[in-house]
Amino acid sequence: MHESDSIVIIPTYNEKENMENIIRAVFSLDKCFHILVIDDGSPDGTAMIVKKLQDKEFGDRLFLIERQGKQGLGTAYIAGFKWALQHQYEYVFEMDADFSHNPNDLPRLYAACHDDGADVAVGSRYVTGVNVVNWPMGRVLMSYFASQYVRFVTGISVHDTTAGFVCYRRRVLKTIDLDKIRFKGYAFQIEMKYTAYRIGFKIKEVSVVFVNRREGTSKMSGGIFSEALFGVMRLRLDGWFKKYPKPVE
């Protein structure tokens, strides 16, 4: 029986090229992590790959939620957060399936929370410069200046506000009213960090190198960034009037 205090949530849509490899990479780490895959009805058979690995090798630490159709990144993570809370995990991770986030960095995010006392650890592309590999320059600039814009508007000190490589302590997810997180695309990442910041949780950035996917198709679009950019103003305005809860233990 492989017991763990940590669960890595991986949302998927058409990730058959990466699925088995990312699972094996996480399970090869010295630190034991569990994995929860949330698949939005991938027509390429991503869920079947997960089920096969569950049945043959990893039934006690690999879990799967299947949903009907593409429902958005934010709703996938909210479903995963609720599942993780129900199953008593202390450390809950967000990670992409396409190896843009290096599984070898998971123990570093874990240490930032477990050892260094952070409530939220962010795998940051921008805290020590620009650590992005194989992205077109236009996309690098759009992502970097989007994060600078968020910092300017909201006052949050996090350099990489759109980062999707994150560790949350259980008490953060228990405190935030997950049903009131409104954004479904990449603005979801901003809203979660901003909410944690306004509540008063300690956020620590851990420098990571982001590598553009080599297998499969990117899910990024201009519309996703538009949601993030315009949603920030709404977050800031709401922040003037919204009463945030006190952290729970």
Side-chain angles (χ1 to χ4, degrees), residues 95-130:
M95 191 175 79
D96 290 348
D98 60 7
F99 284 94
S100 55
H101 305 140
N102 188 340
N104 291 328
D105 289 324
L106 284 169
R108 298 175 60 225
L109 295 183
Y110 175 80
C113 290
H114 182 269
D115 301 333
D116 299 339
D119 297 301
V120 182
V122 178
S124 177
R125 298 163 288 186
Y126 306 129
V127 70
T128 58
V130 179

mmCIF file of all heavy atoms in Angstrom, residues 95-130:
data_model
loop_
_atom_site.group_PDB
_atom_site.id
_atom_site.type_symbol
_atom_site.label_atom_id
_atom_site.label_comp_id
_atom_site.label_asym_id
_atom_site.label_seq_id
_atom_site.Cartn_x
_atom_site.Cartn_y
_atom_site.Cartn_z
ATOM 1 N N MET A 95 -0.793 20.293 -11.877
ATOM 2 C CA MET A 95 0.288 20.054 -12.834
ATOM 3 C C MET A 95 -0.287 19.689 -14.196
ATOM 4 O O MET A 95 -1.279 18.965 -14.282
ATOM 5 C CB MET A 95 1.226 18.943 -12.350
ATOM 6 C CG MET A 95 2.511 18.839 -13.163
ATOM 7 S SD MET A 95 3.676 17.628 -12.484
ATOM 8 C CE MET A 95 2.930 16.113 -13.086
ATOM 9 N N ASP A 96 0.360 20.148 -15.276
ATOM 10 C CA ASP A 96 -0.051 19.797 -16.624
ATOM 11 C C ASP A 96 0.452 18.402 -16.995
ATOM 12 O O ASP A 96 1.434 17.910 -16.432
ATOM 13 C CB ASP A 96 0.497 20.805 -17.632
ATOM 14 C CG ASP A 96 -0.171 22.176 -17.519
ATOM 15 O OD1 ASP A 96 -1.206 22.277 -16.830
ATOM 16 O OD2 ASP A 96 0.357 23.138 -18.117
ATOM 17 N N ALA A 97 -0.211 17.829 -17.991
ATOM 18 C CA ALA A 97 0.127 16.466 -18.421
ATOM 19 C C ALA A 97 1.236 16.424 -19.457
ATOM 20 O O ALA A 97 1.764 15.347 -19.751
ATOM 21 C CB ALA A 97 -1.114 15.790 -19.002
ATOM 22 N N ASP A 98 1.615 17.566 -20.011
ATOM 23 C CA ASP A 98 2.436 17.580 -21.224
ATOM 24 C C ASP A 98 3.935 17.772 -20.982
ATOM 25 O O ASP A 98 4.686 18.040 -21.923
ATOM 26 C CB ASP A 98 1.940 18.665 -22.168
ATOM 27 C CG ASP A 98 2.009 20.065 -21.553
ATOM 28 O OD1 ASP A 98 2.557 20.214 -20.440
ATOM 29 O OD2 ASP A 98 1.496 21.008 -22.182
ATOM 30 N N PHE A 99 4.378 17.658 -19.733
ATOM 31 C CA PHE A 99 5.787 17.818 -19.342
ATOM 32 C C PHE A 99 6.278 19.261 -19.447
ATOM 33 O O PHE A 99 7.483 19.502 -19.346
ATOM 34 C CB PHE A 99 6.715 16.893 -20.149
ATOM 35 C CG PHE A 99 6.665 15.457 -19.696
ATOM 36 C CD1 PHE A 99 5.822 14.554 -20.322
ATOM 37 C CD2 PHE A 99 7.452 15.012 -18.640
ATOM 38 C CE1 PHE A 99 5.759 13.231 -19.904
ATOM 39 C CE2 PHE A 99 7.406 13.694 -18.223
ATOM 40 C CZ PHE A 99 6.549 12.802 -18.856
ATOM 41 N N SER A 100 5.376 20.225 -19.648
ATOM 42 C CA SER A 100 5.801 21.623 -19.533
ATOM 43 C C SER A 100 6.199 21.919 -18.088
ATOM 44 O O SER A 100 7.024 22.799 -17.824
ATOM 45 C CB SER A 100 4.691 22.566 -19.994
ATOM 46 O OG SER A 100 3.491 22.330 -19.291
ATOM 47 N N HIS A 101 5.603 21.189 -17.143
ATOM 48 C CA HIS A 101 6.028 21.209 -15.742
ATOM 49 C C HIS A 101 6.837 19.941 -15.483
ATOM 50 O O HIS A 101 6.353 18.836 -15.728
ATOM 51 C CB HIS A 101 4.817 21.256 -14.806
ATOM 52 C CG HIS A 101 3.893 22.393 -15.075
ATOM 53 N ND1 HIS A 101 2.516 22.271 -15.030
ATOM 54 C CD2 HIS A 101 4.137 23.673 -15.416
ATOM 55 C CE1 HIS A 101 1.963 23.440 -15.308
ATOM 56 N NE2 HIS A 101 2.925 24.303 -15.553
ATOM 57 N N ASN A 102 8.028 20.107 -14.994
ATOM 58 C CA ASN A 102 8.919 18.971 -14.758
ATOM 59 C C ASN A 102 8.515 18.251 -13.472
ATOM 60 O O ASN A 102 8.557 18.847 -12.392
ATOM 61 C CB ASN A 102 10.363 19.469 -14.651
ATOM 62 C CG ASN A 102 11.371 18.342 -14.606
ATOM 63 O OD1 ASN A 102 11.045 17.201 -14.288
ATOM 64 N ND2 ASN A 102 12.616 18.656 -14.924
ATOM 65 N N PRO A 103 8.131 16.975 -13.554
ATOM 66 C CA PRO A 103 7.765 16.250 -12.331
ATOM 67 C C PRO A 103 8.853 16.261 -11.267
ATOM 68 O O PRO A 103 8.550 16.166 -10.069
ATOM 69 C CB PRO A 103 7.500 14.824 -12.838
ATOM 70 C CG PRO A 103 7.124 14.995 -14.268
ATOM 71 C CD PRO A 103 7.956 16.143 -14.768
ATOM 72 N N ASN A 104 10.106 16.400 -11.675
ATOM 73 C CA ASN A 104 11.203 16.436 -10.706
ATOM 74 C C ASN A 104 11.145 17.653 -9.792
ATOM 75 O O ASN A 104 11.816 17.691 -8.748
ATOM 76 C CB ASN A 104 12.557 16.413 -11.424
ATOM 77 C CG ASN A 104 12.834 15.083 -12.099
ATOM 78 O OD1 ASN A 104 12.408 14.040 -11.618
ATOM 79 N ND2 ASN A 104 13.537 15.114 -13.212
ATOM 80 N N ASP A 105 10.350 18.653 -10.178
ATOM 81 C CA ASP A 105 10.188 19.844 -9.334
ATOM 82 C C ASP A 105 9.098 19.674 -8.280
ATOM 83 O O ASP A 105 8.967 20.523 -7.385
ATOM 84 C CB ASP A 105 9.863 21.074 -10.192
ATOM 85 C CG ASP A 105 11.050 21.552 -11.007
ATOM 86 O OD1 ASP A 105 12.186 21.466 -10.492
ATOM 87 O OD2 ASP A 105 10.853 22.019 -12.148
ATOM 88 N N LEU A 106 8.317 18.618 -8.349
ATOM 89 C CA LEU A 106 7.261 18.409 -7.347
ATOM 90 C C LEU A 106 7.812 18.375 -5.919
ATOM 91 O O LEU A 106 7.239 19.027 -5.030
ATOM 92 C CB LEU A 106 6.502 17.111 -7.645
ATOM 93 C CG LEU A 106 5.500 17.151 -8.798
ATOM 94 C CD1 LEU A 106 5.028 15.741 -9.151
ATOM 95 C CD2 LEU A 106 4.302 18.033 -8.458
ATOM 96 N N PRO A 107 8.911 17.654 -5.649
ATOM 97 C CA PRO A 107 9.439 17.666 -4.277
ATOM 98 C C PRO A 107 9.885 19.045 -3.813
ATOM 99 O O PRO A 107 9.830 19.341 -2.612
ATOM 100 C CB PRO A 107 10.629 16.695 -4.353
ATOM 101 C CG PRO A 107 10.315 15.788 -5.499
ATOM 102 C CD PRO A 107 9.628 16.666 -6.497
ATOM 103 N N ARG A 108 10.297 19.911 -4.723
ATOM 104 C CA ARG A 108 10.704 21.272 -4.356
ATOM 105 C C ARG A 108 9.488 22.099 -3.936
ATOM 106 O O ARG A 108 9.564 22.878 -2.972
ATOM 107 C CB ARG A 108 11.443 21.932 -5.512
ATOM 108 C CG ARG A 108 12.728 21.211 -5.902
ATOM 109 C CD ARG A 108 13.372 21.829 -7.134
ATOM 110 N NE ARG A 108 13.701 23.213 -6.909
ATOM 111 C CZ ARG A 108 13.448 24.202 -7.789
ATOM 112 N NH1 ARG A 108 12.830 23.947 -8.922
ATOM 113 N NH2 ARG A 108 13.793 25.439 -7.501
ATOM 114 N N LEU A 109 8.383 21.950 -4.650
ATOM 115 C CA LEU A 109 7.154 22.641 -4.241
ATOM 116 C C LEU A 109 6.654 22.087 -2.911
ATOM 117 O O LEU A 109 6.196 22.843 -2.040
ATOM 118 C CB LEU A 109 6.080 22.485 -5.315
ATOM 119 C CG LEU A 109 6.335 23.127 -6.677
ATOM 120 C CD1 LEU A 109 5.132 22.919 -7.586
ATOM 121 C CD2 LEU A 109 6.636 24.615 -6.545
ATOM 122 N N TYR A 110 6.745 20.777 -2.764
ATOM 123 C CA TYR A 110 6.338 20.140 -1.505
ATOM 124 C C TYR A 110 7.163 20.685 -0.344
ATOM 125 O O TYR A 110 6.617 21.035 0.717
ATOM 126 C CB TYR A 110 6.519 18.630 -1.627
ATOM 127 C CG TYR A 110 6.241 17.852 -0.363
ATOM 128 C CD1 TYR A 110 4.932 17.545 0.010
ATOM 129 C CD2 TYR A 110 7.285 17.407 0.448
ATOM 130 C CE1 TYR A 110 4.676 16.823 1.170
ATOM 131 C CE2 TYR A 110 7.038 16.684 1.599
ATOM 132 C CZ TYR A 110 5.732 16.397 1.962
ATOM 133 O OH TYR A 110 5.486 15.676 3.107
ATOM 134 N N ALA A 111 8.481 20.791 -0.528
ATOM 135 C CA ALA A 111 9.363 21.280 0.531
ATOM 136 C C ALA A 111 9.044 22.727 0.894
ATOM 137 O O ALA A 111 9.152 23.122 2.065
ATOM 138 C CB ALA A 111 10.819 21.147 0.102
ATOM 139 N N ALA A 112 8.660 23.533 -0.098
ATOM 140 C CA ALA A 112 8.329 24.941 0.180
ATOM 141 C C ALA A 112 7.165 25.042 1.160
ATOM 142 O O ALA A 112 7.130 25.947 2.004
ATOM 143 C CB ALA A 112 7.996 25.660 -1.117
ATOM 144 N N CYS A 113 6.230 24.118 1.075
ATOM 145 C CA CYS A 113 5.095 24.111 2.004
ATOM 146 C C CYS A 113 5.397 23.297 3.259
ATOM 147 O O CYS A 113 5.214 23.775 4.379
ATOM 148 C CB CYS A 113 3.854 23.553 1.307
ATOM 149 S SG CYS A 113 3.150 24.632 0.045
ATOM 150 N N HIS A 114 5.868 22.088 3.084
ATOM 151 C CA HIS A 114 6.067 21.170 4.209
ATOM 152 C C HIS A 114 7.200 21.610 5.120
ATOM 153 O O HIS A 114 7.085 21.559 6.358
ATOM 154 C CB HIS A 114 6.336 19.767 3.678
ATOM 155 C CG HIS A 114 6.519 18.727 4.744
ATOM 156 N ND1 HIS A 114 7.763 18.418 5.276
ATOM 157 C CD2 HIS A 114 5.630 17.936 5.394
ATOM 158 C CE1 HIS A 114 7.613 17.486 6.192
ATOM 159 N NE2 HIS A 114 6.344 17.172 6.297
ATOM 160 N N ASP A 115 8.310 22.056 4.547
ATOM 161 C CA ASP A 115 9.498 22.400 5.329
ATOM 162 C C ASP A 115 9.622 23.892 5.615
ATOM 163 O O ASP A 115 10.055 24.286 6.707
ATOM 164 C CB ASP A 115 10.766 21.927 4.606
ATOM 165 C CG ASP A 115 10.778 20.432 4.357
ATOM 166 O OD1 ASP A 115 10.132 19.696 5.120
ATOM 167 O OD2 ASP A 115 11.435 19.998 3.391
ATOM 168 N N ASP A 116 9.256 24.716 4.635
ATOM 169 C CA ASP A 116 9.490 26.160 4.755
ATOM 170 C C ASP A 116 8.273 26.937 5.239
ATOM 171 O O ASP A 116 8.357 28.146 5.452
ATOM 172 C CB ASP A 116 9.945 26.729 3.408
ATOM 173 C CG ASP A 116 11.242 26.099 2.922
ATOM 174 O OD1 ASP A 116 11.982 25.552 3.762
ATOM 175 O OD2 ASP A 116 11.507 26.144 1.699
ATOM 176 N N GLY A 117 7.133 26.273 5.390
ATOM 177 C CA GLY A 117 5.980 26.918 6.000
ATOM 178 C C GLY A 117 5.082 27.704 5.073
ATOM 179 O O GLY A 117 4.182 28.421 5.547
ATOM 180 N N ALA A 118 5.262 27.591 3.758
ATOM 181 C CA ALA A 118 4.368 28.290 2.836
ATOM 182 C C ALA A 118 3.002 27.611 2.825
ATOM 183 O O ALA A 118 2.885 26.404 3.033
ATOM 184 C CB ALA A 118 4.955 28.314 1.434
ATOM 185 N N ASP A 119 1.981 28.398 2.582
ATOM 186 C CA ASP A 119 0.637 27.847 2.403
ATOM 187 C C ASP A 119 0.367 27.510 0.939
ATOM 188 O O ASP A 119 -0.381 26.596 0.631
ATOM 189 C CB ASP A 119 -0.417 28.844 2.886
ATOM 190 C CG ASP A 119 -0.292 29.133 4.365
ATOM 191 O OD1 ASP A 119 -0.386 28.182 5.161
ATOM 192 O OD2 ASP A 119 -0.098 30.313 4.728
ATOM 193 N N VAL A 120 0.986 28.286 0.062
ATOM 194 C CA VAL A 120 0.883 28.070 -1.382
ATOM 195 C C VAL A 120 2.281 28.166 -1.964
ATOM 196 O O VAL A 120 3.001 29.133 -1.702
ATOM 197 C CB VAL A 120 -0.025 29.130 -2.061
ATOM 198 C CG1 VAL A 120 -0.143 28.855 -3.558
ATOM 199 C CG2 VAL A 120 -1.392 29.191 -1.404
ATOM 200 N N ALA A 121 2.686 27.169 -2.748
ATOM 201 C CA ALA A 121 3.974 27.207 -3.446
ATOM 202 C C ALA A 121 3.692 27.252 -4.942
ATOM 203 O O ALA A 121 2.952 26.414 -5.474
ATOM 204 C CB ALA A 121 4.818 25.990 -3.104
ATOM 205 N N VAL A 122 4.267 28.248 -5.617
ATOM 206 C CA VAL A 122 4.028 28.460 -7.040
ATOM 207 C C VAL A 122 5.293 28.129 -7.813
ATOM 208 O O VAL A 122 6.360 28.707 -7.554
ATOM 209 C CB VAL A 122 3.624 29.930 -7.320
ATOM 210 C CG1 VAL A 122 3.429 30.159 -8.816
ATOM 211 C CG2 VAL A 122 2.369 30.292 -6.542
ATOM 212 N N GLY A 123 5.198 27.211 -8.768
ATOM 213 C CA GLY A 123 6.303 26.944 -9.677
ATOM 214 C C GLY A 123 6.395 28.076 -10.674
ATOM 215 O O GLY A 123 5.609 28.157 -11.619
ATOM 216 N N SER A 124 7.354 28.975 -10.465
ATOM 217 C CA SER A 124 7.363 30.263 -11.150
ATOM 218 C C SER A 124 8.356 30.304 -12.310
ATOM 219 O O SER A 124 9.531 29.989 -12.141
ATOM 220 C CB SER A 124 7.695 31.377 -10.154
ATOM 221 O OG SER A 124 7.786 32.617 -10.808
ATOM 222 N N ARG A 125 7.862 30.778 -13.456
ATOM 223 C CA ARG A 125 8.711 30.970 -14.631
ATOM 224 C C ARG A 125 9.467 32.287 -14.585
ATOM 225 O O ARG A 125 10.437 32.468 -15.333
ATOM 226 C CB ARG A 125 7.840 30.951 -15.899
ATOM 227 C CG ARG A 125 7.116 29.651 -16.141
ATOM 228 C CD ARG A 125 5.974 29.813 -17.151
ATOM 229 N NE ARG A 125 4.864 30.559 -16.564
ATOM 230 C CZ ARG A 125 3.686 30.745 -17.168
ATOM 231 N NH1 ARG A 125 3.485 30.238 -18.376
ATOM 232 N NH2 ARG A 125 2.720 31.423 -16.566
ATOM 233 N N TYR A 126 9.038 33.222 -13.739
ATOM 234 C CA TYR A 126 9.517 34.593 -13.848
ATOM 235 C C TYR A 126 10.156 35.161 -12.585
ATOM 236 O O TYR A 126 10.565 36.315 -12.571
ATOM 237 C CB TYR A 126 8.351 35.509 -14.263
ATOM 238 C CG TYR A 126 7.639 35.041 -15.516
ATOM 239 C CD1 TYR A 126 6.266 34.896 -15.544
ATOM 240 C CD2 TYR A 126 8.364 34.731 -16.664
ATOM 241 C CE1 TYR A 126 5.613 34.458 -16.691
ATOM 242 C CE2 TYR A 126 7.725 34.289 -17.815
ATOM 243 C CZ TYR A 126 6.349 34.150 -17.822
ATOM 244 O OH TYR A 126 5.710 33.705 -18.952
ATOM 245 N N VAL A 127 10.274 34.379 -11.529
ATOM 246 C CA VAL A 127 10.790 34.944 -10.285
ATOM 247 C C VAL A 127 12.289 35.208 -10.365
ATOM 248 O O VAL A 127 12.820 36.053 -9.646
ATOM 249 C CB VAL A 127 10.451 34.022 -9.082
ATOM 250 C CG1 VAL A 127 11.257 32.735 -9.120
ATOM 251 C CG2 VAL A 127 10.638 34.758 -7.759
ATOM 252 N N THR A 128 13.002 34.518 -11.245
ATOM 253 C CA THR A 128 14.442 34.757 -11.420
ATOM 254 C C THR A 128 14.769 35.102 -12.866
ATOM 255 O O THR A 128 15.787 34.679 -13.405
ATOM 256 C CB THR A 128 15.258 33.516 -11.007
ATOM 257 O OG1 THR A 128 14.836 32.383 -11.804
ATOM 258 C CG2 THR A 128 15.080 33.202 -9.534
ATOM 259 N N GLY A 129 13.903 35.865 -13.513
ATOM 260 C CA GLY A 129 14.086 36.183 -14.924
ATOM 261 C C GLY A 129 12.964 35.548 -15.729
ATOM 262 O O GLY A 129 11.829 35.472 -15.275
ATOM 263 N N VAL A 130 13.282 35.084 -16.926
ATOM 264 C CA VAL A 130 12.299 34.410 -17.781
ATOM 265 C C VAL A 130 12.820 33.018 -18.087
ATOM 266 O O VAL A 130 13.745 32.846 -18.870
ATOM 267 C CB VAL A 130 12.048 35.196 -19.083
ATOM 268 C CG1 VAL A 130 11.038 34.462 -19.959
ATOM 269 C CG2 VAL A 130 11.555 36.610 -18.781
#
